[in-house]
Amino acid sequence: MTAVDATPAVRHVDHHVDHHVDHLVVGAGFAGLCAAIKLQEDGERDFVVIEKGEEVGGTWRDNTYPGAACDVPSQLYSFSFAPNPEWTSSFSPQPEIQAYLRRVARESGTLDRFRFGTRVEDATWDDEAARWTVRTSAGTWSARTLVVGAGGLSEPKLPDIEGIETFAGHLFHSARWDHDVDLAGKRVAVIGTGASAIQIVPEVQRVADRLDVYQRTAPWVIPRNDRRYSRIERAALRHVPGVQKAYRTATYWGRETYVPAFTFEPAIAFPARKLAEANIARGIRDPELRAKVTPQFALGCKRVLISNAYYPALAADNVDLVTDRIARVTPTSVVTADGTEREVDVIIVATGFHTTELPITEHVVGRRGRTLADRWRESGMAAYKGTTVPEFPNLFLLVGPNTGLGHSSMVFMIESQVQYLRQALRTMRLNRYAAVEPREDVAAGWNDRLQQRMKRTVWQRGGCSSWYLDEHGRNTTLWPRTTFGFRAALRAFDTAAYAVRGEPAPPSSTPATPTTHQQTEDVPA
């Protein structure tokens, strides 16, 4: 371990502070809720979770569009410490996931630490006090550590289309669904063919008079092998010891078998590609339409989607798949580059989220006086082990850079990161560290090795451009190895990788818990 470097630092931040806490957690989705539960479990009492929404849930609270469901099997999409015996099917719909998160939050006994309807306006590292000063819409907080669990799928991304602001009908993003708009008998346009769109399209097709689907790039879509659990099966999951754990374990290892096709040799995915092609043939008879929906890149290069209903919906008489570029939007229509004008009553934007330029980073100011967004604009979005960043002491990112997955459950990754956070806090308390900050050389080495490994993945070799990649063509979103490799890398806090401030932190009544420290870890093999 080394002392914090001598780079000129931000001096004392002169803010009026309304509240002082040890730990401030931002976000109340899976990540923030997991952090709260585990902080309490470790005996931490002085923490608060702030959330801009009005309840827990994050993306599952916000995405209430028709057909919203998870594309990770239900048995894997829950906390390992809070299994859910109430799933009704092998792939859970949004209402069930949100109900699960509400229940876990309620039963955890942490809800009194949550402050809803509270948005972060800025967070600044106070180097003199070795604390974060966080200004919110409901007052200013001072915190020893700042845990950001805002998530990569939290801020909708709107398309840059000429005239879209002039549209006189109803226009909304899939993550901000307007339930007051009745789509029955309407002329509807859906812009986008990603994960949300393929769930929305079949639902809209059933009720709309006409539906235009605007496709920039065709996705690979494999069958959704969903099934409802029988009454006997659900009873066994609830009451027979070991059944749910066996389901979860089998599902987890089954999903890990996908990793080589994504990260080592794309040709291994040939059987899955044939399955996807068969899905097209089964859902669409028209050769011309089949050609439009058949991707021209390797399966896995973009997110692989799952649906049994998407292709039949595209083939329906009231649906038109439009592959010409949108030139502009008028008050009453969408106009494509070939000059065709299609009158519409409603436009549904399903164009994804800000994933490689997270909005919250514009408001987090580190030790050198620049924002996290400024740093990432200069060097690219990167974090040590996806969790900590040089220049930003005592900042922990949950679902940070290169922690996303193309095959398994993000809940597993979140739990791994929260374990690393817990070990860091125990280390700080045991050694009375006021601040820990990853060393520049260690963080750069981690990310250089990670990007080197990324070159062999389908995301770099698959022949597509995707939201996984930043403006420099670097994949800053996904983890290029197994999930158990990620967990191994974050099992213990590696103090040697950090610059530490040795002045004692303020005393606390919370007992210190000894922990084992390991040396800097490489990206696991």
Side-chain angles (χ1 to χ4, degrees):
M1 71 190 103
T2 62
V4 173
D5 67 47
T7 305
V10 176
R11 303 313 297 164
H12 185 70
V13 179
D14 188 18
H15 280 318
H16 168 73
V17 174
D18 301 302
H19 314 281
H20 294 266
V21 291
D22 272 352
H23 316 296
L24 188 66
V25 181
V26 179
F30 266 103
L33 180 56
C34 182
I37 292 170
K38 291 302 177 180
L39 285 174
Q40 176 166 276
E41 185 178 301
D42 286 350
E44 299 282 356
R45 292 291 180 264
D46 193 15
F47 70 88
V48 163
V49 181
I50 59 175
E51 164 58 49
K52 63 183 179 182
E54 297 302 325
E55 64 171 335
V56 299
T59 189
W60 295 108
R61 176 198 63 228
D62 296 339
N63 284 267
T64 59
Y65 59 80
C70 191
D71 57 6
V72 174
S74 300
Q75 297 302 328
L76 208 54
Y77 208 72
S78 60
F79 295 122
S80 62
F81 54 84
N84 183 23
E86 302 304 321
W87 300 130
T88 59
S89 59
S90 54
F91 287 92
S92 44
Q94 177 269 336
E96 289 188 20
I97 299 172
Q98 180 63 1
Y100 165 75
L101 289 169
R102 288 193 192 107
R103 177 177 62 79
V104 171
R106 184 177 63 253
E107 294 178 355
S108 71
T110 63
L111 275 177
D112 61 331
R113 322 285 175 76
F114 284 66
R115 303 292 183 268
F116 297 107
T118 304
R119 182 181 292 272
V120 172
E121 295 177 353
D122 58 62
T124 304
W125 174 252
D126 183 337
D127 202 61
E128 184 177 316
R131 295 177 71 86
W132 284 95
T133 301
V134 183
R135 191 164 56 90
T136 77
S137 58
T140 300
W141 296 79
S142 172
R144 187 160 62 96
T145 61
L146 179 61
V147 182
V148 176
L153 302 180
S154 60
E155 292 294 335
K157 188 173 186 178
L158 296 174
D160 183 15
I161 300 174
E162 179 187 339
I164 196 167
E165 72 283 354
T166 70
F167 184 64
H170 297 285
L171 185 150
F172 49 87
H173 191 279
S174 58
R176 302 291 184 266
W177 194 271
D178 188 342
H179 291 277
D180 292 331
V181 177
D182 184 2
L183 301 180
K186 297 289 197 307
R187 299 168 298 178
V188 182
V190 171
I191 300 176
T193 53
S196 298
I198 71 158
Q199 295 180 343
I200 291 168
V201 165
E203 301 295 324
V204 175
Q205 179 270 321
R206 294 188 184 101
V207 299
D209 178 63
R210 197 191 75 227
L211 171 61
D212 300 323
V213 179
Y214 289 85
Q215 171 187 284
R216 185 172 60 180
T217 308
W220 282 111
V221 183
I222 60 176
R224 185 182 186 86
N225 296 317
D226 195 7
R227 63 181 182 82
R228 291 191 65 81
Y229 292 138
S230 68
R231 292 173 61 185
I232 293 175
E233 198 170 11
R234 292 182 67 187
L237 288 167
R238 285 194 195 97
H239 303 299
V240 179
V243 169
Q244 189 163 32
K245 185 175 181 180
Y247 270 50
R248 184 182 180 94
T249 301
T251 302
Y252 171 79
W253 288 110
R255 287 276 160 162
E256 288 302 289
T257 64
Y258 296 0
V259 173
F262 288 125
T263 66
F264 178 66
E265 179 47 68
I268 297 174
F270 178 76
R273 178 175 178 135
K274 300 306 290 184
L275 190 66
E277 291 172 346
N279 199 29
I280 295 172
R282 183 165 48 249
I284 298 174
R285 293 185 178 182
D286 177 28
E288 184 177 345
L289 183 55
R290 282 186 185 178
K292 283 184 177 182
V293 302
T294 301
Q296 301 303 307
F297 52 83
L299 185 140
C301 187
K302 288 179 180 284
R303 183 174 175 180
V304 179
L305 310 179
I306 59 172
S307 178
N308 299 331
Y310 179 62
Y311 291 135
L314 291 184
D317 292 339
N318 64 333
V319 177
D320 187 13
L321 180 68
V322 183
T323 56
D324 292 302
R325 180 181 60 85
I326 297 176
R328 66 184 186 279
V329 172
T330 76
T332 59
S333 65
V334 178
V335 183
T336 49
D338 65 349
T340 303
E341 182 172 1
R342 295 173 175 84
E343 299 284 331
V344 290
D345 305 307
V346 181
I347 296 178
I348 300 168
V349 178
T351 48
F353 301 85
H354 292 276
T355 55
T356 58
E357 62 283 342
L358 304 178
I360 194 172
T361 62
E362 299 282 359
H363 307 283
V364 179
V365 180
R367 181 170 53 81
R368 294 177 183 165
R370 62 175 178 171
T371 67
L372 184 52
D374 289 336
R375 176 185 173 90
W376 283 352
R377 272 191 287 269
E378 179 181 293
S379 59
M381 190 170 81
Y384 179 56
K385 299 189 175 182
T387 309
T388 57
V389 183
E391 291 186 49
F392 295 83
N394 297 7
L395 173 68
F396 297 88
L397 305 175
L398 303 180
V399 193
N402 291 112
T403 60
L405 299 175
H407 71 288
S408 192
S409 173
M410 280 306 301
V411 182
F412 185 95
M413 304 294 274
I414 288 167
E415 288 192 35
S416 302
Q417 288 190 283
V418 170
Q419 168 66 9
Y420 191 69
L421 165 67
R422 297 167 72 191
Q423 294 286 0
L425 298 183
R426 290 171 183 172
T427 299
M428 291 174 69
R429 195 174 295 284
L430 179 67
N431 295 285
R432 300 177 70 82
Y433 295 148
V436 296
E437 176 187 338
R439 291 162 36 199
E440 287 279 5
D441 61 326
V442 174
W446 168 271
N447 285 290
D448 286 347
R449 290 187 293 272
L450 189 150
Q451 290 300 325
Q452 192 63 33
R453 288 182 181 274
M454 197 69 74
K455 291 179 181 179
R456 65 203 287 186
T457 68
V458 69
W459 311 308
Q460 298 288 130
R461 297 166 53 194
C464 74
S465 174
S466 74
W467 58 265
Y468 298 150
L469 309 180
D470 66 11
E471 60 183 0
H472 307 293
R474 296 167 66 250
N475 189 327
T476 58
T477 306
L478 299 180
W479 171 246
R481 304 297 296 174
T482 61
T483 60
F484 56 84
F486 184 79
R487 176 155 293 185
L490 277 74
R491 182 167 290 118
F493 185 71
D494 43 345
T495 314
Y498 286 77
V500 302
R501 177 173 296 186
E503 293 91 350
S508 171
S509 59
T510 305
T513 304
T515 185
T516 301
H517 306 307
Q518 297 182 351
Q519 298 300 309
T520 306
E521 297 179 67
D522 197 350
V523 178

